[in-house]
Structure formats: C-alpha cells, structure tokens
Amino acid sequence: MEDKVVVNKKVVLKHYIPDGPATESDMELVATDTLLLRLPPGSTAVLVKNLYLSCDPYMRSRMTKHDEPSYVDDFVPGTPITGYGVCKVLDSGHPDFKIGDYVWGVTGWEEYSLITSTEGLFKINHTNVPLSYYTGILGMPGFTAYVGFYEISSPKKGERVFVSAASGAVGQLVGQFAKLMGCYVVGSAGSDEKVNLLKNKFGFDEAFNYKKEPDLNKALRRCFPEGIDIYFENVGGAMLEAVLQNMRLNARIAACGMISQYNLERPEGVSHLFTIIAKRIRMQGFVVFDHYRSYREFEEKVVQYIKEGKIVYVEDIAEGLENAPAALVGLFAGRNVGKQLVVVARE
Amino acid sequence: MEDKVVVNKKVVLKHYIPDGPATESDMELVATDTLLLRLPPGSTAVLVKNLYLSCDPYMRSRMTKHDEPSYVDDFVPGTPITGYGVCKVLDSGHPDFKIGDYVWGVTGWEEYSLITSTEGLFKINHTNVPLSYYTGILGMPGFTAYVGFYEISSPKKGERVFVSAASGAVGQLVGQFAKLMGCYVVGSAGSDEKVNLLKNKFGFDEAFNYKKEPDLNKALRRCFPEGIDIYFENVGGAMLEAVLQNMRLNARIAACGMISQYNLERPEGVSHLFTIIAKRIRMQGFVVFDHYRSYREFEEKVVQYIKEGKIVYVEDIAEGLENAPAALVGLFAGRNVGKQLVVVARE
Ligand SMILES: NC(=O)c1ccc[n+]([C@@H]2O[C@H](COP(=O)([O-])OP(=O)(O)OC[C@H]3O[C@@H](n4cnc5c(N)ncnc54)[C@H](OP(=O)(O)O)[C@@H]3O)[C@@H](O)[C@H]2O)c1
Ligand SMILES: NC(=O)c1ccc[n+]([C@@H]2O[C@H](COP(=O)([O-])OP(=O)(O)OC[C@H]3O[C@@H](n4cnc5c(N)ncnc54)[C@H](OP(=O)(O)O)[C@@H]3O)[C@@H](O)[C@H]2O)c1
C-alpha cells in the first residue's frame, strides 16, 4: 500500500442552512482531492480507511451556523461532513493505534481520513461481532442508551418505562435494557412495521404508531393505566406534553433527544410542565460525550449480551458514500428502520 | 373558658370554580355556626383558636373540582377554606398538644377550629419570635425555600442563582440562603417597590422588575453575562422559557411553583426545552409536604439566623378574617409585598 495515491471521494456540506429541514442537495459528493496513503514522517495522526459511517440526528444542528457555540461544533462548508464511523487503520503515528487495527470514533464522510484528533477514537476490541455494530449498538447510540437508561433514569425492577423513537438506534436498546431489568416497557414509533419490530423482535410489552393516534394522551393512558415511571425522551414536543400528563409520582425523564424539534424554525411550546412539580418529577438532560470514561465497561457488557442472544439489533444499511446524504436526511422523515448507517467499504 | 359557646365566623368556598381567575366573591364570610369551646369526652382532637392564617398560591388549585386527584385535595364548597395557620390550643385530647400551646399547621379559615387530623400540626417551640412567622419564614413557605434550595438545587459557593417571584414568601428566603452560601443572586419581581426590597433589604446582588422588561431573555443576559447555575422556579411560563436560554452547563432548576399558570384556562407552552439536553440540566420538581421529617432541623437553624440578624423577613398583613378572600386573590395580581397572611386574632 506504500506510496499509493488515491482519489478521495467525500461528502461536503455546500453551505450553512437556516433553521428548517435539511435536504440532500445541501450536501454534495466531490471527487477531486487526492491523498497519499502514508503519513508524513513524525506525524502523530492516524490515517484510516472509512468502512461504515453513522447517520445521527444531532448532525442536523451542525449544518446551521450558530452565533453562540452550540453543544456540538458547526460544520465547515466546503469540507467533509464529520461524524462517527468505523475505520481500518492504514498508517499510524499514534502509539495506541497500529496498522490493521479497527477503530471507531469521529471521522470524515469520505473514503479515507487523516485523523489528527485521536481523543475521539476507540480501538475496537471485539471483531467477532459485525464491525458495523460500532456505529450503533456498540458505538455512540448504544452507549447513549446505556448511560441514559442505567445512569440517568435510575430504573428499578417492575417500573413502567416509555420510550419514544423506540425502534431507532438508541430506542431499540433502551427498551431491551429495560426488559432485561424486569420493567414493563412500551415504545412509540412512526410506522406499523416499526411497531411490529418493537413487539415481536425487541420484546416490548406494548407499542403504538404515534402517527395513527389522534390523541397521544389517550394512547399513553391505554398503555399505562397506572402511569409512567420512566420516560426515555427522544422526540420532544407534543409527545413530551402527552407524557407529562401520564407520569407517576417520583417519575424520571431521561432527556436524550427531541428530534421532532430539530427541523423547526421555532421550537414548539410544551405545556403541562407544572406536573413536574405536582408529581415530583426529575427531568435530566445528558450528552453521551461526557460519559466515555465508562465506555469499556459498557462494551464488555453488551458484547456479552449479544453473544448470549439476550439483545438483538436492527440496522438500516445504505450502500455507498453517494447515498449518505439521503440516509442522513431520511432520519427526520423516519425513513430508517433501525440504526441508519452507510457502507463506504466493507474491508 | 369552660362551656363557652361562641359564634364561629368562617370563610367558605361558595362553589367550585372553573379554570381561570378566582375572585373574592367565590368565597364568603358566614357567621351562623356556633361552637362549644370544649372537646367532647374521649376526643383525640385539638380545639384551637386561629390567630394567623396563611394565604398560599397552591390554594387556588383547591378551588377547582378535579376529575382525577390532584397533588392537593379539592376544597368542599359550603365548608371553610382550609390552609396553614398559627393557632392557640384551647382544649386537647392529644398527648402532643396541651392547652395554651401554640401550634402551626393545617387549620380552617374560621375563628376556632376543631382539628381532628393532627398529623399536620407542629407545636411551636420558639415563642420569642413573632408567632406570625410560623405562617412564613418558620412555616411552610420558609421550609419550602430551605428544602428547595439546599436539597433540590445542590448549590455550591460562588454559583449564580436566579429566583423568580423573589420578594414573596418563599423567594425572599431563597435569595438570602443563597447569599449566606456565597452565591451571586438575582431576583425578579413585579414592582419597583419589590425590586428595591430585593436589593436593599434582602441583599440580592441584582434584581429587575419583569413587568418593565420588554425582553426577559435580554434582562437575564444582562444580569447573568456568564449564565445561570441555579434557577429557583416560582413562576413558569415565559420566565422559564427565558431562563432556559440562559442556563450554564450542568445547571439545576428547583421546580417549586409556576404561579403564572395557575389562573390560566390552558397552560402556556414553553419552548427551548432542548437546552435541558444541550446544557445537561437537571430540572427537579418537589413538594414540601414530602420533607417535613427534617422540619425541626430547619426550624432550629432559621430561628438562629433570625436571632443573629442574618436573615430578615417581610410580611404583608391583612387584618381580619373578612379580608382573607381579597388577600388570597391578591397573590395572583402580585398585590402582596412579602409573605401574605391574615390576622384573625392576636392572642
Ligand atoms: N443525548 C445524547 O447524547 C444523544 C446521543 C444520541 C442520540 N440522541 C438523540 O436520541 C434520539 C434518537 O436518536 P437515534 O440515533 O436513535 O435516531 P433514530 O431513532 O435511529 O432515528 C431517528 C428517528 O426519529 C423519529 N423521528 C423523526 N422525526 C420525528 C418527529 N418529528 N417526531 C417524532 N419522531 C421523529 C423517526 O422514527 P419514527 O418513524 O418512529 O418517527 C426516525 O427514524 C434523537 O433525538 C437523538 O438526537 C442523543
Ligand atoms: N413546591 C412546594 O411545595 C411549594 C410550597 C410553597 C409555595 N410554592 C410555590 O412557590 C411560589 C411562590 O409562593 P409564595 O408563597 O412565595 O408566594 P408569593 O411569592 O408570596 O406570592 C405570589 C407572588 O407571585 C407573583 N405572581 C403572581 N402572578 C404572577 C404571574 N402571572 N407571573 C409572575 N409572577 C406572578 C406575585 O409577585 P410579583 O409582584 O413579583 O409578580 C405574587 O406576589 C408559588 O409558585 C407557589 O405555588 C411551592
């Protein structure tokens, strides 16, 4: 592979976009840059071949220019989108990574990436599970489910758990973790196919298609006649408002995401917040980035669950970098069934 | 006092009222019932003379009929309003209370009350402070400030604290507790007179009249250029929405009350809730009733503070039971300056 120069196809953000939906045409595939597949002498970077790229909802926010720093950096128009991915190390100036290693972490939406910020990179310890799992169940979304459920929501056996966007990358795992703990678990999702997955593949006790429910409050009351102890919040807006009206005393809300708001010009108002007082609710926001010090503990536990067949995972795989923009945009229309990822190369 | 029969004036709720403002005319003073000022033999109740009655915002909710149980019981039309008060024991069948004791707790809006549920009653241990303080600084609102600040908001020295309805029964104390801890403290209130109290009597670092601020977000930014660590939430609605936009990383919201919502037919929507995630905010609702087991610890501490002059307290005193309805309704127009109470009798 020495001295090989390649054309490095990439997906770049064409321009910042205002609030509102992003579209495929806000990104473009360019194939003009070339790259020498070897690090310059003395570099401490890692040169990787990107195999799987992850499409994640938070990436939408990075496409908008923020006057004040947001919780994630804005993208830079004209340069490749960055995000999580699974990669193979082609060359390394960093002692933690060797040629031939598989790693996951922050990389570029391109065929090859020169990664200089290696703090965001984890060596993959288990290669006897699908490598793509490190974009999902064993990567950022999986770890999000783990932190949010076990650490933020303070679950107890027998509690009643509701998960929104329940068939997605994070939600399908939250539900399975909750079942493993002996909770009663209900999920909502945006199609009958997804509802079917929830009940028949992920073992949720109940599930409903929120798009077919004229009254979310009633749907929740039907599924939780005695109320909800834990809400794993992925969508926000009207769903949060309905959930608030169905909470039990001392309930917790693990505030993970509010995807229904990411594409709005002005976020919706949520009422019934007084319930937080009347029902002594703890609503706690968290961001997975703060918790990576316990990533390895999570990885071992979940690899074990996978091997024992205690947990399953559904992926939605787009083929080829050229299909990445559509895959990303599709998250906001619920086109993905399970974890949305993009295959750049399989090896 | 033996065998004395008195006419017992009382304030009764005339009828349940729907959502929306309560008015004085929803209550009325009646003076038809008589009462023998002695307990029947074998009674375990306590017969008291009511001295000071407390007007508290939560009482509004009790005037509406709820289909499902609310966090406080609905009043019963035609019977006296119940609420917190300071009373003198005239007769007692209960071992914890003796004739001549002063007590505070749940009593009726009437001259004399027969209290059968004595769990809600505390003997007053300190009679060398104004007895009326047991409706405020040493009673339910004071204890609310204590629990909400020290237990719910996890304060640390040097943190930036914002208190809404800051000159009221609860708020004036929260601010003073926060100053005692070495925090930077800002309060909002609804008149220049109250703002003046905050700055010049209670020692807040800054204060503003929210009714004169065209943009609450900007007012908060002015007072907290580096953001807010702790929000002691008393009002909800637009103020909460503005606060959310000014929170710092890992901020806490002690959700105590949302008085701006109590008189609305439909609660307002609050947007910018995504900040709870981006800033890793913990919003925690609490109700003081759950915490009374630590009341005595609070009482000793705050009596000490009062004696040492470390804490001051402002009361707004209405004279006579006949003025109680107006005093209660006045809370929702901000007519009270400091803790609103009603004197029924001074001894
Ligand atoms: N706090 C953190 O650190 C962290 C980390 C990762 C993810 N997250 C958050 O977790 C949530 C789930 O992420 P994920 O990666 O698991 O995504 P995902 O669920 O795999 O994909 C997004 C899903 O959201 C649903 N959705 C889209 N628009 C919606 C709308 N307007 N209303 C309701 N649902 C809508 C769609 O499913 P339906 O067909 O069911 O509508 C879509 O499939 C997101 O809010 C994300 O931002 C947070
Ligand atoms: N969680 C609990 O256990 C608990 C216990 C006690 C009290 N609380 C809550 O704590 C809060 C304060 O109670 P408090 O007893 O100290 O009452 P308070 O502040 O002494 O009296 C109420 C004050 O609220 C303000 N207000 C009224 N309507 C308003 C509106 N629409 N928008 C903004 N402010 C408004 C007024 O002051 P301005 O002139 O400043 O507007 C009024 O003086 C209330 O929300 C109450 O429900 C909760």
Side-chain angles (χ1 to χ4, degrees):
Chain A
M1 214 183 288
E2 314 292 309
D3 289 326
K4 196 172 156 197
V5 171
V6 292
V7 174
N8 192 17
K9 272 193 275 179
K10 21 188 95 174
V11 174
V12 305
L13 180 70
K14 291 206 308 217
H15 40 244
Y16 283 124
I17 56 178
D19 294 330
T23 61
E24 281 181 61
S25 58
D26 294 316
M27 294 163 267
E28 75 183 328
L29 188 76
V30 295
T32 47
D33 290 6
T34 57
L35 183 74
L36 172 68
L37 291 188
R38 187 141 49 92
L39 287 174
S43 166
T44 58
V46 178
L47 180 73
V48 300
K49 180 174 183 190
N50 293 309
L51 306 180
Y52 303 100
L53 296 176
S54 177
C55 297
D56 292 294
Y58 78 93
M59 298 171 80
R60 168 64 193 85
S61 159
R62 306 187 63 186
M63 296 181 165
T64 298
K65 173 112 198 101
H66 292 87
D67 297 331
E68 290 178 45
S70 171
Y71 74 114
V72 281
D73 292 339
D74 300 339
F75 287 136
V76 179
T79 70
I81 304 277
T82 57
Y84 286 97
V86 170
C87 331
K88 184 170 186 175
V89 176
L90 299 184
D91 198 359
S92 172
H94 192 288
D96 293 353
F97 306 101
K98 295 193 314 290
I99 293 176
D101 277 354
Y102 292 98
V103 296
W104 77 270
V106 179
T107 187
W109 278 29
E110 54 196 346
E111 291 176 294
Y112 301 91
S113 294
L114 181 72
I115 301 177
T116 51
S117 303
T118 45
E119 318 87 61
L121 230 48
F122 297 85
K123 182 169 170 345
I124 289 178
N125 288 335
H126 297 271
T127 51
N128 51 356
V129 293
L131 281 180
S132 59
Y133 275 15
Y134 282 87
T135 66
I137 180 170
L138 293 171
M140 185 280 280
F143 189 49
T144 299
Y146 185 82
V147 166
F149 183 66
Y150 291 108
E151 291 185 24
I152 306 295
S153 80
S154 310
K156 287 190 286 293
K157 186 168 185 246
E159 286 195 315
R160 300 153 183 82
V161 177
F162 177 58
V163 189
S164 54
S167 71
V170 176
Q172 57 175 302
L173 265 181
V174 173
Q176 293 180 80
F177 287 148
K179 283 309 301 173
L180 284 173
M181 174 159 277
C183 296
Y184 168 79
V185 186
V186 179
S188 64
S191 74
D192 293 346
E193 178 192 5
K194 293 181 183 184
V195 166
N196 184 46
L197 270 181
L198 292 176
K199 293 208 260 194
N200 298 319
K201 182 147 186 110
F202 303 132
F204 283 57
D205 297 288
E206 268 305 331
F208 63 87
N209 177 348
Y210 69 92
K211 291 182 181 164
K212 283 191 173 169
E213 295 289 344
D215 184 335
L216 293 175
N217 189 349
K218 282 209 186 115
L220 289 167
R221 192 152 307 188
R222 189 177 72 226
C223 296
F224 294 98
E226 297 176 83
I228 299 168
D229 293 298
I230 292 175
Y231 174 41
F232 197 99
E233 162 69 306
N234 283 323
V235 311
M239 186 63 92
L240 175 57
E241 186 168 306
V243 168
L244 283 170
Q245 294 167 74
N246 286 279
M247 290 306 249
R248 286 163 67 83
L249 215 59
N250 299 314
R252 283 85 63 202
I253 300 176
C256 174
M258 297 189 176
I259 194 169
S260 73
Q261 308 298 298
Y262 302 169
N263 273 341
L264 301 181
E265 316 233 336
R266 173 162 166 78
E268 281 175 289
V270 171
S271 67
H272 293 287
L273 289 172
F274 183 72
T275 315
I276 291 179
I277 298 168
K279 293 287 170 67
R280 295 80 155 159
I281 293 170
R282 186 183 79 219
M283 179 167 184
Q284 168 101 49
F286 72 99
V287 175
V288 65
F289 315 147
D290 303 342
H291 298 265
Y292 279 133
R293 62 187 174 284
S294 48
Y295 170 73
R296 292 298 179 190
E297 162 200 319
F298 151 81
E299 184 190 20
E300 292 311 314
K301 201 164 186 168
V302 174
V303 164
Q304 196 57 35
Y305 282 152
I306 295 170
K307 288 187 180 159
E308 292 167 3
K310 286 191 176 155
I311 279 191
V312 295
Y313 201 64
V314 170
E315 302 179 318
D316 192 328
I317 302 179
E319 294 288 336
L321 202 49
E322 63 280 12
N323 291 313
L328 177 57
V329 166
L331 292 176
F332 299 93
R335 274 199 289 272
N336 61 309
V337 178
K339 168 63 200 168
Q340 181 66 59
L341 62 105
V342 178
V343 185
V344 185
R346 282 209 150 71
E347 171 65 29
Chain B
M1 214 183 288
E2 313 294 306
D3 290 327
K4 197 175 155 195
V5 171
V6 293
V7 175
N8 192 18
K9 273 194 277 180
K10 22 188 96 173
V11 174
V12 305
L13 179 70
K14 292 205 308 214
H15 40 242
Y16 283 122
I17 56 178
D19 294 331
T23 62
E24 282 181 60
S25 59
D26 294 317
M27 294 164 267
E28 75 184 326
L29 188 76
V30 296
T32 48
D33 290 6
T34 57
L35 183 73
L36 171 68
L37 290 188
R38 190 144 47 93
L39 287 175
S43 167
T44 57
V46 178
L47 180 74
V48 301
K49 179 175 183 190
N50 292 309
L51 306 179
Y52 303 100
L53 295 176
S54 178
C55 296
D56 292 293
Y58 78 93
M59 298 170 79
R60 167 64 193 85
S61 159
R62 306 187 62 186
M63 297 180 165
T64 298
K65 173 114 197 101
H66 292 87
D67 297 332
E68 291 178 43
S70 171
Y71 74 114
V72 281
D73 292 340
D74 300 340
F75 287 137
V76 180
T79 69
I81 303 277
T82 57
Y84 286 97
V86 169
C87 331
K88 185 170 183 175
V89 176
L90 299 184
D91 198 359
S92 173
H94 192 287
D96 293 352
F97 307 100
K98 295 195 314 291
I99 293 175
D101 276 355
Y102 293 99
V103 296
W104 78 270
V106 179
T107 185
W109 278 30
E110 54 194 346
E111 292 176 292
Y112 302 92
S113 294
L114 182 72
I115 301 178
T116 50
S117 303
T118 46
E119 318 86 62
L121 230 47
F122 297 86
K123 183 170 172 341
I124 289 179
N125 289 335
H126 297 271
T127 52
N128 51 356
V129 294
L131 280 181
S132 59
Y133 275 16
Y134 282 87
T135 65
I137 180 169
L138 293 171
M140 185 279 280
F143 189 48
T144 300
Y146 184 82
V147 166
F149 182 66
Y150 291 109
E151 291 186 24
I152 306 296
S153 81
S154 312
K156 286 189 288 291
K157 186 168 185 244
E159 287 195 315
R160 299 153 183 83
V161 178
F162 177 59
V163 189
S164 54
S167 71
V170 175
Q172 58 175 303
L173 266 181
V174 173
Q176 293 181 79
F177 287 147
K179 283 309 301 174
L180 284 174
M181 175 160 276
C183 297
Y184 168 80
V185 186
V186 179
S188 64
S191 74
D192 292 346
E193 177 191 6
K194 293 181 183 185
V195 166
N196 184 47
L197 269 182
L198 292 176
K199 292 208 260 195
N200 299 317
K201 184 148 185 109
F202 304 131
F204 283 57
D205 296 287
E206 269 304 331
F208 63 88
N209 177 347
Y210 70 92
K211 290 182 180 163
K212 283 191 171 169
E213 295 289 345
D215 184 335
L216 293 175
N217 189 350
K218 282 208 186 116
L220 289 168
R221 192 154 306 189
R222 189 177 72 228
C223 296
F224 294 98
E226 297 176 84
I228 299 167
D229 293 299
I230 292 175
Y231 175 40
F232 196 100
E233 162 69 306
N234 283 323
V235 312
M239 186 63 92
L240 175 56
E241 185 168 307
V243 168
L244 283 169
Q245 295 167 75
N246 285 277
M247 289 306 249
R248 286 164 65 84
L249 216 58
N250 299 313
R252 282 84 64 203
I253 300 176
C256 173
M258 298 191 176
I259 193 169
S260 73
Q261 307 298 299
Y262 301 170
N263 272 342
L264 301 181
E265 317 233 334
R266 172 162 168 78
E268 283 175 287
V270 170
S271 67
H272 292 287
L273 289 172
F274 183 72
T275 316
I276 291 179
I277 299 168
K279 294 288 170 66
R280 294 80 157 160
I281 293 170
R282 185 184 80 219
M283 179 167 183
Q284 169 102 48
F286 72 100
V287 175
V288 65
F289 315 146
D290 303 342
H291 299 264
Y292 278 133
R293 65 189 171 281
S294 48
Y295 170 73
R296 291 299 178 189
E297 160 200 319
F298 151 82
E299 184 190 22
E300 291 311 314
K301 200 163 187 169
V302 173
V303 164
Q304 197 56 36
Y305 282 152
I306 294 170
K307 290 188 179 156
E308 292 167 4
K310 286 193 178 155
I311 280 192
V312 295
Y313 201 65
V314 170
E315 301 179 320
D316 193 329
I317 302 179
E319 293 288 336
L321 201 49
E322 61 281 12
N323 291 313
L328 177 57
V329 167
L331 292 176
F332 299 94
R335 273 197 290 274
N336 62 310
V337 178
K339 168 62 201 170
Q340 182 67 59
L341 61 106
V342 178
V343 185
V344 185
R346 282 208 152 71
E347 172 63 33

